[in-house]
Each structure stands twice: as C-alpha cells, then as structure tokens.
Amino acid sequence: AGAYFVTICTADRQGPLGWVEGTEMRLSALGQIAEACWRVIPEHFEDVELDAYVVMPNHVHGIVVIGDGRARHASPLPARPQGLGRRSVGSIVGAYKSSVCRRVNAIGGTPGAVLWQRNYYEHVIRNERQLSRIRRYIAENPANWMLDYENPQGQCYGQGEKERFFTY
C-alpha cells in the first residue's frame, strides 16, 4: 500500500502523444488512447486509485494510490508502502503500457511496434507536503514544457538534474 509518483516515457523520448500549445497540452489520437487507458486503471486493479496525472508529448506523469486491501483512507498516503504482486506499481505500469501498445498497434496496423521506453520511474510519496508538491508539478507540467529537460525542442533538453520534489 502507498502513493507513488510514476513517470512513463515514450521510446527515444519522441513526442507522439501530442504537443503543448501555449500552456495547454493537446493530445494526439495516440495521446487520447494513452489518457483513456490511464483513466481506467482502477477498473482493472482492485483497491487502486488515481490522483493527479498528465499526458505530455513524450511521457506520462501520474500519482497511483494502492490501498491496503481493507478500508479506504481519507488521505492517499496509507502507512508504510510495501509489497509486490498483482497490485504492485510494476504490474500496474506494465498492464498500462501493454494496453496502450495493443490499442495503438491494432488501430495503426503496426503489430509489435515499440511505443514506450523500457521500464519507468517511480517515487514513493511519503507525506502530504510531497503529495502537494507533486500535484502542483503535474498540474504545471504543460506550462513549464519549454523548460523541461525531457523536451527535445526545449531550452534545457539533456542538461542538468531533474528538479526534485521529494524533500521533506
């Protein structure tokens, strides 16, 4: 159980999921599939909820909350995160990436085409302060796209360290 900040990147950091226009994210058809598959994750995983998320041109950021299998919590920060298995972050991200690929490849007639970078990034959200910062980061991600080091057309691509939001 726990709350996790997850980032999933497209292969070679290409931007097939859409584009940023001003401060707003505009989803391509592929981006719309990625968003639709993200929204239905709780329908496929018992006691999993989604918090803030954003689909960006070459990555998806989201907060995944895995319950403890008992009662729902008022806070999305259950006690100590732990465990593997069907309700693990890895199984959720794997199923998500697979479902997006299957739909995109079926529609495009491109069986086996690679969409996602191997693996994903995750960070355990340990307190309400981190949760607030990460929610704000997700909400502001499109407006900050030109400064994002993940943006191949941006001013900071490949430079420096990704901004940290995980301090106490």
Side-chain angles (χ1 to χ4, degrees):
Y4 302 86
F5 175 44
V6 175
T7 301
I8 306 165
C9 297
T10 59
D12 299 322
R13 299 248 176 21
Q14 298 300 311
L17 304 178
W19 62 96
V20 175
E21 192 173 279
T23 61
E24 300 293 321
M25 181 61 199
R26 305 289 184 221
L27 297 176
S28 65
L30 196 152
Q32 291 173 11
I33 292 169
E35 182 178 48
C37 289
W38 184 264
R39 285 194 319 260
V40 299
I41 287 172
E43 295 174 21
H44 300 280
F45 290 89
E46 185 178 342
D47 210 16
V48 170
E49 297 178 13
L50 301 177
D51 199 292
Y53 72 91
V54 65
V55 176
M56 294 297 292
N58 62 5
H59 63 281
V60 176
H61 286 306
I63 298 172
V64 176
V65 181
I66 302 174
D68 64 4
R70 296 178 299 189
R72 299 277 182 206
H73 299 273
S75 168
L77 298 171
R80 197 180 64 188
Q82 61 185 358
L84 296 173
R86 170 125 170 78
R87 293 181 328 122
S88 71
V89 175
S91 66
I92 293 166
V93 170
Y96 168 74
K97 289 167 67 172
S98 178
S99 68
V100 174
C101 277
R102 275 195 312 273
R103 287 182 66 185
V104 167
N105 288 337
I107 290 169
T110 55
V114 176
L115 172 63
W116 300 110
Q117 174 180 300
R118 189 169 174 253
N119 221 331
Y120 61 97
Y121 303 96
E122 73 173 83
H123 175 80
V124 177
I125 303 172
R126 299 195 183 280
N127 57 47
E128 295 289 338
R129 185 172 163 194
Q130 285 183 1
L131 180 62
S132 293
R133 286 182 180 176
I134 293 167
R135 283 176 174 156
R136 186 173 55 250
Y137 174 77
I138 290 170
E140 295 173 356
N141 210 240
N144 293 321
W145 181 235
M146 285 310 292
L147 300 175
D148 194 318
Y149 87 105
E150 297 287 349
N151 178 0
Q153 287 79 42
Q155 300 168 9
C156 302
Y157 183 68
Q159 297 177 11
E161 186 84 12
K162 190 173 188 178
E163 188 171 352
R164 301 279 178 192
F165 295 91
F166 315 122
T167 57
Y168 296 99

